Amino acid sequence: MKSYRSELRFNTKHRREFINITPQVEQCVRESGINDGLVLCNAMHITASVFINDNEPGLHQDLEVWLEKLAPEKPHSQYRHNTAENNADAHLKRSIMGREVVVAVTDGRLDFGPWEQIFYGEFDGMREKRVLVKIIGE
Amino acid sequence: MKSYRSELRFNTKHRREFINITPQVEQCVRESGINDGLVLCNAMHITASVFINDNEPGLHQDLEVWLEKLAPEKPHSQYRHNTAENNADAHLKRSIMGREVVVAVTDGRLDFGPWEQIFYGEFDGMREKRVLVKIIGE
Amino acid sequence: MKSYRSELRFNTKHRREFINITPQVEQCVRESGINDGLVLCNAMHITASVFINDNEPGLHQDLEVWLEKLAPEKPHSQYRHNTAENNADAHLKRSIMGREVVVAVTDGRLDFGPWEQIFYGEFDGMREKRVLVKIIGE
């Protein structure tokens, strides 16, 4: 069994952003030399997500509006977590979108359907954050 | 390390359906000859889910009503994604229900609790869709 | 490839509780003797979750309030699942919080960001429930 580990780093300009990280994860798969196995790709922070969806800007605007409806940022005072911080909503948004994805590697490539793309979902940005890419296989 | 890959295919009669795929995934585990490892089972499309819950029709009706409340299909015009398509709600519903499950394989079987069953959740059906089953182990 | 399997057991005092299980999962990693691989940690019951978030009591209260808003327990009669049982809301809450986490193992340890902690989320407690810990690697 081979294994590979890498970290991706982010420091977004805005509090909330969606970033397509598929090219970086594909690069990790190539570097790993693993032809057949599983990739785990997870946010290392609890106010961010890694998820798979469509690379379509209209959908990303819909996600922003929808997540704000389900878990609004403001007023900050509505959350008990917000005593020293103001990011309780980011913890909730990440709970909906998920921490991680696991993707098959087949023939040395991400084994994807036609429109699958991996996104980093930042919900409390403007600071350094990381994503872990771990690959095991042969 | 052994690995196994298969695709399940669906073309539902309705826009939204829940289909119990546990027997097909169990068949994949048998075909793989893997006794000990992990199964990844993921929707290959971004308007569908694979999830684990109860095989109980009342709950499936509750899920349909609940998902329509959290991410209503109509009016289609409420979503910016719906310029060429009308399935933005399906992308959101799938975000709640998740893309994938990872299940342990022990003694050549899905290592499940008493009521766990794997479902394909279709949110934009009436077209050909696929689920990937990838197994690694020994 | 090595593999390891263990079950954690819970019988909570209240219907809903969040329990930090990071020390138990770390103990499993040590017992496994696996230095490099993946841990799957999943609820074996369909009214409970395993998730990763912050070990902060205010946030746990926020999660309780928020999940009750998105998927209220009462009135029990609002759900078709509640003919013989009264736990439909627990199935929905678990759908938001997720069944499982997959965590990398690197150098014999859970490969975590600074604040990641694993929680068992009970949504229909006061009975015996289990969590599966399955580790594969080398």
Side-chain angles (χ1 to χ4, degrees):
Chain A
M1 197 197 81
K2 283 186 193 174
S3 82
Y4 170 94
R5 181 194 191 279
S6 184
E7 291 181 7
L8 312 180
R9 288 173 183 270
F10 305 91
N11 195 332
T12 61
K13 285 190 189 153
H14 305 101
R15 183 177 172 103
R16 290 191 287 276
E17 282 189 26
F18 298 126
I19 299 170
N20 188 345
I21 61 173
T22 317
Q24 289 98 308
V25 181
E26 284 174 339
Q27 177 62 21
C28 290
V29 174
R30 280 192 295 270
E31 285 175 18
S32 74
I34 290 172
N35 276 303
D36 214 15
L38 296 176
V39 182
L40 167 68
C41 186
N42 68 267
M44 299 182 76
H45 300 262
I46 52 197
T47 51
S49 287
V50 172
F51 65 93
I52 288 175
N53 216 309
D54 201 355
N55 190 20
E56 199 279 303
L59 179 66
H60 297 180
Q61 290 180 282
D62 292 333
L63 279 169
E64 160 66 19
V65 169
W66 181 66
L67 290 168
E68 264 296 287
K69 194 176 72 176
L70 294 185
E73 180 194 338
K74 295 178 180 170
H76 291 151
S77 62
Q78 75 191 292
Y79 300 113
R80 297 191 188 189
H81 181 60
N82 289 343
T83 49
E85 300 190 275
N86 67 1
N87 62 4
D89 71 298
H91 291 271
L92 304 182
K93 287 173 171 111
R94 113 73 170 252
S95 297
I96 292 176
M97 298 305 292
R99 165 187 178 261
E100 79 218 10
V101 296
V102 178
V103 181
V105 176
T106 304
D107 297 331
R109 298 174 62 105
L110 296 173
D111 195 338
F112 266 163
W115 300 103
E116 290 189 280
Q117 296 278 295
I118 308 175
F119 289 89
Y120 175 65
E122 176 63 84
F123 303 116
D124 185 30
M126 301 182 286
R127 65 192 76 193
E128 187 159 300
K129 299 282 201 70
R130 289 176 291 151
V131 161
L132 177 65
V133 181
K134 180 92 180 187
I135 313 175
I136 68 169
E138 276 186 353
Chain B
M1 196 197 82
K2 282 186 193 175
S3 82
Y4 171 93
R5 181 194 191 278
S6 184
E7 292 181 6
L8 312 179
R9 289 172 182 272
F10 305 91
N11 196 330
T12 62
K13 284 189 189 154
H14 306 100
R15 183 177 172 103
R16 290 190 287 276
E17 282 188 26
F18 298 126
I19 299 169
N20 187 343
I21 60 173
T22 316
Q24 289 99 306
V25 181
E26 283 173 340
Q27 176 62 23
C28 291
V29 174
R30 281 192 294 272
E31 285 176 18
S32 74
I34 291 171
N35 276 303
D36 214 16
L38 296 177
V39 183
L40 167 69
C41 187
N42 69 267
M44 299 183 75
H45 300 262
I46 52 196
T47 52
S49 287
V50 171
F51 65 93
I52 287 175
N53 216 309
D54 201 357
N55 190 20
E56 199 280 302
L59 178 65
H60 297 180
Q61 290 180 282
D62 292 333
L63 279 169
E64 160 65 19
V65 169
W66 181 67
L67 290 169
E68 264 295 286
K69 193 176 73 177
L70 294 184
E73 179 194 338
K74 295 176 181 171
H76 290 152
S77 61
Q78 75 191 290
Y79 300 113
R80 297 192 187 188
H81 181 60
N82 289 343
T83 49
E85 299 190 275
N86 67 1
N87 63 5
D89 70 299
H91 291 271
L92 304 183
K93 288 174 170 110
R94 115 71 171 253
S95 297
I96 292 175
M97 297 305 291
R99 165 188 180 259
E100 79 218 10
V101 297
V102 177
V103 181
V105 176
T106 304
D107 296 333
R109 296 174 64 105
L110 296 173
D111 195 338
F112 266 162
W115 300 103
E116 290 189 280
Q117 296 278 293
I118 309 176
F119 290 89
Y120 175 65
E122 176 63 85
F123 302 115
D124 185 30
M126 300 182 286
R127 64 192 75 193
E128 187 160 299
K129 298 281 201 70
R130 291 177 289 153
V131 161
L132 177 65
V133 182
K134 179 93 180 187
I135 313 175
I136 69 169
E138 275 186 353
Chain C
M1 197 197 82
K2 283 187 193 174
S3 83
Y4 170 93
R5 180 193 191 281
S6 184
E7 291 181 8
L8 312 180
R9 289 172 183 272
F10 305 91
N11 196 330
T12 62
K13 284 189 190 155
H14 305 101
R15 183 179 172 104
R16 290 190 288 276
E17 282 188 26
F18 298 126
I19 299 169
N20 188 345
I21 61 172
T22 316
Q24 291 99 308
V25 181
E26 283 174 340
Q27 177 61 22
C28 290
V29 173
R30 280 191 295 271
E31 286 176 18
S32 74
I34 290 172
N35 276 303
D36 214 16
L38 296 177
V39 182
L40 167 69
C41 186
N42 69 266
M44 300 183 75
H45 300 262
I46 51 193
T47 51
S49 288
V50 172
F51 65 92
I52 287 174
N53 217 309
D54 201 357
N55 191 19
E56 198 280 303
L59 179 67
H60 298 180
Q61 289 180 284
D62 292 332
L63 279 169
E64 161 66 19
V65 169
W66 181 66
L67 291 169
E68 264 296 285
K69 194 176 72 176
L70 294 185
E73 180 194 337
K74 295 176 181 172
H76 290 152
S77 62
Q78 75 190 293
Y79 300 114
R80 298 192 187 189
H81 181 61
N82 288 344
T83 49
E85 299 190 274
N86 67 0
N87 62 5
D89 71 299
H91 291 271
L92 304 183
K93 287 173 171 113
R94 113 73 168 251
S95 298
I96 292 175
M97 297 306 291
R99 165 188 179 260
E100 80 219 10
V101 296
V102 178
V103 181
V105 176
T106 304
D107 297 331
R109 297 175 62 106
L110 296 173
D111 195 338
F112 266 163
W115 300 103
E116 291 189 280
Q117 296 279 294
I118 308 176
F119 290 90
Y120 175 66
E122 177 63 86
F123 303 115
D124 184 32
M126 300 182 286
R127 63 193 75 193
E128 187 159 301
K129 300 281 203 68
R130 290 176 289 153
V131 160
L132 177 65
V133 181
K134 180 93 180 186
I135 314 175
I136 67 169
E138 276 187 350

